Amino acid sequence: MLVGFAVFGAVLLALVLARETSLFAVRTIGVSGAGAGVERQVERALRDRAGQSLVGLDLDAAKVDVAALPTVASVRFDRAYPHTLRVMVVPERPVAVVRQGADSFVVSRRGRVMARVDRTVKPDLARIWVAKDVRLDPGSFVEGDLITAVRAVAPLAGIHFPSRVVSVRTTDGLTLRLRSGLELRLGNTREVDLKLAVADRVLRVLPAGSGYLDVSVPDRPVAGPRTLDSPVEVESLTSSGA
């Protein structure tokens, strides 16, 4: 019995030493899985953990702090004894730039507002215009017609589409306005990936002067000339206006 108490006391003492002393203090925070900019943000969010015991580190609180970053979608931790906290990050993936007057915001695939940016940033991403009363706080998630528009253009991010999307309309079905001036009509929100794949192929052989391409029924795309009720609305990245 005395031996048992002695062993228990030794274990308890070891735990106290591990939690309350510098025996397993965090000296290195290793972040991986994201670009250098996001990894620096994560390091800054966790820098007050340096020097804390790796054993007693509150990983739930650390997760809250990192997940609060608008550029981070998810995070995992690993205690790499004796002195390293490993941080595995999944970054938010930008898919659109939302324009609100003179202001611009990068929005992720999940609909999260990642940052306020200059309007010329990420020229390859689709532009979505919204009214002044739409809230676009970094870190928040968009909703309503805006999230519908974001999901519609998300498949275009990272691929070579024939023309950049300069505006999105969600009333009476999804309609993308391309920089070329052509109106790409997707119809409802079903099978958007397929519709965009069909549009990609058709746009490459579409005659010059076409005003619209309707792929709302993917296996029967229809194109037509520009009409008076489909005006061209093209944003110039070199203009001085909004």
Side-chain angles (χ1 to χ4, degrees):
M1 186 177 294
L2 289 175
V3 172
F5 279 122
V7 171
F8 177 77
V11 172
L12 186 61
L13 178 61
L15 287 174
V16 171
L17 289 174
R19 291 178 63 91
E20 305 300 333
T21 70
S22 61
L23 182 63
F24 292 110
V26 176
R27 296 179 184 173
T28 303
I29 298 176
V31 184
S32 62
V38 174
E39 290 184 358
R40 283 194 296 269
Q41 293 175 10
V42 173
E43 290 169 354
R44 285 195 294 269
L46 295 172
R47 61 187 171 189
D48 61 344
R49 269 75 177 183
Q52 294 185 23
S53 170
L54 198 57
V55 176
L57 194 63
D58 187 344
L59 295 185
D60 288 337
K63 182 176 182 178
V64 169
D65 289 347
V66 175
L69 296 171
T71 52
V72 173
S74 65
V75 61
R76 293 186 299 109
F77 297 95
D78 178 45
R79 293 182 174 94
Y81 292 100
H83 301 295
T84 301
L85 176 65
R86 291 178 181 156
V87 188
M88 287 70 74
V89 172
V90 176
E92 293 281 3
R93 182 187 175 193
V95 297
V97 174
V98 176
R99 296 294 311 276
Q100 189 177 56
D103 298 323
S104 300
F105 302 83
V106 174
V107 178
S108 75
R109 174 179 289 274
R110 299 195 304 151
R112 194 177 194 184
V113 182
M114 296 176 62
R116 183 193 298 266
V117 297
D118 184 89
R119 69 190 185 91
T120 60
V121 166
K122 297 188 179 298
D124 55 319
L125 294 184
R127 264 49 182 173
I128 302 173
W129 293 80
V130 296
K132 283 286 190 181
D133 58 353
V134 176
R135 292 194 61 179
L136 293 170
D137 301 319
S140 64
F141 287 85
V142 302
E143 53 189 20
D145 288 343
L146 182 50
I147 187 59
T148 300
V150 169
R151 288 170 178 165
V153 299
L156 298 177
I159 69 171
H160 183 64
F161 200 66
S163 183
R164 182 168 72 87
V165 176
V166 295
S167 68
V168 182
R169 190 173 70 243
T170 58
T171 54
D172 300 322
L174 283 170
T175 301
L176 312 184
R177 179 77 64 183
L178 306 185
R179 187 172 180 80
S180 62
L182 184 134
E183 187 177 87
L184 179 57
R185 302 170 184 174
L186 303 180
N188 58 42
T189 57
R190 294 192 296 272
E191 298 183 312
V192 170
D193 286 13
L194 174 60
K195 294 172 183 177
L196 290 174
V198 171
D200 187 4
R201 297 183 64 179
V202 175
L203 286 171
R204 298 179 190 279
V205 297
L206 205 61
S210 297
Y212 72 88
L213 171 62
D214 190 325
V215 291
S216 56
V217 181
D219 58 349
R220 292 199 301 273
V222 177
R226 185 172 294 121
T227 59
L228 293 178
D229 61 347
S230 58
V232 178
E233 301 172 3
V234 177
E235 174 198 18
S236 171
L237 294 178
T238 59
S239 66
S240 59

